[in-house]
């Protein structure tokens, strides 16, 4: 179980979690070790370009929604460098990133399960 698995379990349980992911696949949106805030997501409200915490192809990733398939209740997950990780069901989308280094992501507002204006805290 990796570090993101533990974060995903907390978010799936309803927690608002701040953590510092590592890696370069999301640069420049998220740089390695920048603080991110993730809250439980309402997958039915997601849009292309949202950053989500999701399990895809067996791995938990903090990556972009790159396509939507509302009829099958699934989203396509990709990094910010053009690599598509694959499709995953709404039940495997745990959270949405609502802030990076304390700066709110405006497109994330209203997409949390608790649906507050900032994504809930």
């Amino acid at each position: 179980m990796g570090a993101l698995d533990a974060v995903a379990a907390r978010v799936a349980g309803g927690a608002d979690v701040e953590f510092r992911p590592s890696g370069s696949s999301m640069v420049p949106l998220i740089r390695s070790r920048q603080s991110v805030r993730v809250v439980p997501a309402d997958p039915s409200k997601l849009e292309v370009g949202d950053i989500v915490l999701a399990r895809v192809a067996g791995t938990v990733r903090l990556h972009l929604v790159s396509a939507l398939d509302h009829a099958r209740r699934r989203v396509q997950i990709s990094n910010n460098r053009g690599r598509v990780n694959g499709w995953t069901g709404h039940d495997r989308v745990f959270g949405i990133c609502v802030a990076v280094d304390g700066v709110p992501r405006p497109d994330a507002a209203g997409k949390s399960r608790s649906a507050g204006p900032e994504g809930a805290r």
Side-chain angles (χ1 to χ4, degrees), residues 30-109:
I30 302 171
R31 298 188 186 286
S32 190
R33 306 296 297 149
Q34 275 188 305
S35 176
V36 297
R37 182 170 153 235
V38 175
V39 301
D42 179 346
S44 69
K45 295 180 180 175
L46 294 176
E47 298 174 299
V48 170
D50 287 335
I51 300 173
V52 296
L53 184 66
R55 182 177 305 280
V56 59
T59 303
V60 176
R61 301 180 184 279
L62 185 67
H63 276 180
L64 292 167
V65 172
S66 53
L68 301 163
D69 182 349
H70 293 292
R72 291 179 157 175
R73 297 180 41 84
R74 65 185 189 152
V75 297
Q76 185 181 66
I77 305 297
S78 302
N79 68 20
N80 200 36
R81 298 184 178 275
R83 180 177 186 311
V84 174
N85 302 113
W87 289 92
T88 196
H90 282 188
D91 61 325
R92 292 192 176 119
V93 177
F94 308 111
I96 183 165
C97 178
V98 296
V100 177
D101 269 350
V103 178
R105 290 191 46 82
D107 292 341

Side-chain angles (χ1 to χ4, degrees), residues 21-33:
S22 60
S24 60
S25 65
M26 289 297 290
V27 171
L29 300 175
I30 302 171
R31 298 188 186 286
S32 190
R33 306 296 297 149

